[in-house]
Amino acid sequence: MLILTRRLGESIRIGDDITVLITGVEQNKVKIGITSPRHIPIYREELYLKIQQENKEAARIDEGDLEEMLGLVTE
């Protein structure tokens, strides 16, 4: 993990296309602005983890589902 110190108004570049700008510091919170190409999604960590969990659940196949699909193929 790379740890950097930035002040209000300073930024960090990630590759050629992503900029992370420190826009505010209040008590124990840091506000950041992120600029990136539209094709690169940006999520808060908790939302990203929720999306990943929902994708895993949607992709899960139960035994009954498999039997139903096989029944459709043999008909």
Side-chain angles (χ1 to χ4, degrees):
M1 173 188 299
L2 174 64
I3 299 174
L4 302 172
T5 301
R6 300 278 75 200
R7 294 189 174 149
L8 186 62
E10 294 181 334
S11 61
I12 298 166
R13 293 295 302 241
I14 302 172
D16 293 331
D17 299 331
I18 301 172
T19 303
V20 180
L21 173 67
I22 307 304
T23 61
V25 179
E26 299 172 8
Q27 295 176 354
N28 64 343
K29 295 181 181 181
V30 177
K31 292 183 179 182
I32 60 173
I34 303 170
T35 304
S36 73
R38 287 186 172 266
H39 70 276
I40 298 176
I42 300 172
Y43 301 106
R44 292 174 298 158
E45 179 73 11
E46 62 275 13
L47 181 57
Y48 177 80
L49 294 174
K50 184 176 180 180
I51 291 168
Q52 293 298 311
Q53 182 61 36
E54 289 176 357
N55 287 344
K56 286 179 187 177
E57 290 174 9
R60 190 180 70 231
I61 298 176
D62 293 329
E63 184 178 330
D65 295 336
L66 183 57
E67 290 174 6
E68 184 180 333
M69 287 189 294
L70 289 173
L72 292 172
V73 171
T74 58
E75 291 179 1

